[in-house]
Amino acid sequence: MSIEASEEVLAGLQHWRDLPAAQQPAWPDQAAVDASTAELRERPPLVFAGEVDNLKGHLAAAARGEAFLLQGGDCAETFAESTADRIRNKIRTILQMAAVLTYGASMPVIKMGRMAGQYAKPRSSDLETRDGVTLPAYRGDAVNGHAFTPQDRTPDPQRLVGAYTRSATTINLIRAFTYGGFADLRLVHDWNRGFTSNPAYARYEVLAAEIDRAMRFMAACGVDFDALRTVDFYSSHEALLLEYESAMTRIDSRTGTPYNTSAHFVWIGERTRQVDGAHVDLLSRVRNPIGVKLGPTTTGDDALALVDRLNPDGEPGRLTFITRMGAGRIRDALPALVERVTADGRPVTWVCDPMHGNTITSPSGYKTRELSTVLDEVHGFFGVHKALGTVPGGLHVELTGDDVTEVLGGSEEVDDAALARRYETLVDPRLNHQQSLEMAFDVAEMIRGH
Ligand SMILES: O=C[C@H](O)[C@H](O)COP(=O)(O)O
Ligand SMILES: C=C(OP(=O)(O)O)C(=O)O
Ligand SMILES: [Mn+2]
């Protein structure tokens, strides 16, 4: 039987159109936007309501300290790099990190990509000027092209359909890899052995040897490793482009309620989380688990107003707060927020994004981050939660599975001169494969000390 949504619910899904919406592209032609979104509305969902509900249950467990979220991927996915190799490498990196964290935390790790839809970016400035020429800023491949030409930089709504198509092929590959044997724990463990056999990472040998012993213990006990060949891997992106997110919002025929079917999990960015704004309104009406990024100026009142709007009934797993304070601020700024929300009593999953509060410009002019500063924010996050007796529920990271040089530091040190070698990101700097694993080992040690 198929249950339909009420007129009131359907009308509510359009209410965002009456509200202020930050960070939307200046589309030159609204009729062309309408044509693209009409096309999107005809396309199949990318994720299914049952999967989304399962994820919500897992995130509820993370809020209670019974699971840990690992969410990672590019700052901005690009159409050109939605290739099988790049996608496979990212999945492999996340699976390797997850294996280490599972051991460190002794709990299930929820695997989630900033993947299969992360094609739209908020920007500090609407415009970019180079050599006296001013053009619209690059806002992600779902909006415009990165090349500094008027043709590329003019927002093109056909790109919304392009983003859908790439998201569909990416999630298809994710499903194929994670259900087809690529996620086999024995394989993932072998890859990690390859990482720790590199002398640069000798300090992680002790933990690696422990994991090795645990694997042999499991084998000796007759654990059915074949049953561990598949994993659930969830998709996520910032729900920034309201026309796209609205077109992908569908009524679940089982319940008659709306789900955003563009990803399992969507989040609202630091720049678009205005409590009376369009983003909060649209996401308040869908049933997915959702996140909100919270920067260092967030007040307890702001956080509670978001709980009121996004999770008034305190549904477990519904709301994740992704804090991105900066290593220098987290120890001062986070406690008041956590205390206030904890006193309220409605559950929240606390996740640490140690990237966005720690962006710097290197002496040679690259937008970058220092791995040591990134790790310091994670330490601060665990420290605050430990002191308050609350639960650090996960990690949100910008990373890639490739050997890029975008973030400074790491045991195989990337220095300022090395940044030029393989700086490929179109927006924010990502941890490379090795730096990502180094973070996973470091965090695993941190969790054990927690
Ligand atoms: O990921 C996000 C960036 O931090 C955001 O898009 C802002 O970047 P910008 O300051 O380069 O515009
Ligand atoms: C823009 C981003 O983050 P924030 O909203 O936290 O600045 C991002 O996650 O890429
Ligand atoms: Mn970013």
Side-chain angles (χ1 to χ4, degrees), residues 83-96:
T83 63
D85 281 356
R86 297 281 188 156
I87 294 165
R88 186 199 55 226
N89 290 351
K90 249 178 285 181
I91 295 172
R92 180 167 55 196
T93 301
I94 294 170
L95 292 174
Q96 285 185 251

Side-chain angles (χ1 to χ4, degrees), residues 323 325 329-338 350 381 384-385:
T323 61
M325 303 279 167
R329 318 241 346 227
I330 184 159
R331 293 170 180 85
D332 295 328
L334 186 58
L337 280 190
V338 175
W350 293 101
F381 175 79
V384 167
H385 282 289

Side-chain angles (χ1 to χ4, degrees), residues 75 114 118 121-122 238 267-271 293 324 353 356 396 398 428:
C75 178
R114 281 176 65 113
Q118 178 54 20
K121 298 311 299 172
E238 177 173 352
W267 76 87
I268 304 175
E270 163 74 354
R271 295 169 182 76
K293 294 282 201 88
R324 29 87 85 218
D353 164 0
H356 287 89
H396 178 118
E398 288 184 340
D428 284 346

